[in-house]
Amino acid sequence: MQDQPFSESNLDSAEYRERLKRKLNCLIAVLEVALAKVRQALTGPAPDLERLTRIHKNLQDTLEVCMRARKAL
């Protein structure tokens, strides 16, 4: 089951759900670090506000989707 791509039919397996949760937790950690770096860049000298604000929104939206997915598992 470890090499199988995502499939809703596999969600019945506790092992499969646990593997997805581990992957989501890793992705959430990466997104949180990226968000912190963007926030830091926003407070730095001469930030590109439009670009950084757009990146921040995309990261935040993705993080929220990941959090909901983790909760659903």
Side-chain angles (χ1 to χ4, degrees):
M1 182 153 320
Q2 190 142 356
D3 297 341
Q4 293 179 355
F6 174 77
S7 170
E8 281 191 43
S9 63
N10 291 334
L11 289 174
D12 292 336
S13 163
E15 175 188 330
Y16 185 76
R17 284 193 315 275
E18 196 56 40
R19 191 165 59 91
L20 284 178
K21 282 183 196 177
R22 278 195 306 275
K23 287 182 178 185
L24 275 170
N25 286 336
C26 291
L27 180 54
I28 287 168
V30 168
L31 290 167
E32 288 173 340
V33 169
L35 275 166
K37 287 186 176 194
V38 169
R39 280 192 293 272
Q40 185 178 16
L42 281 166
T43 62
D48 182 346
L49 291 177
E50 182 180 329
R51 179 178 162 273
L52 290 171
T53 301
R54 188 176 63 247
I55 291 169
H56 185 276
K57 181 186 179 331
N58 288 339
L59 287 169
Q60 188 64 47
D61 290 349
T62 304
L63 179 60
E64 289 171 11
V65 168
C66 289
M67 298 281 217
R68 285 194 310 269
R70 182 173 64 180
K71 203 177 277 190
L73 286 174

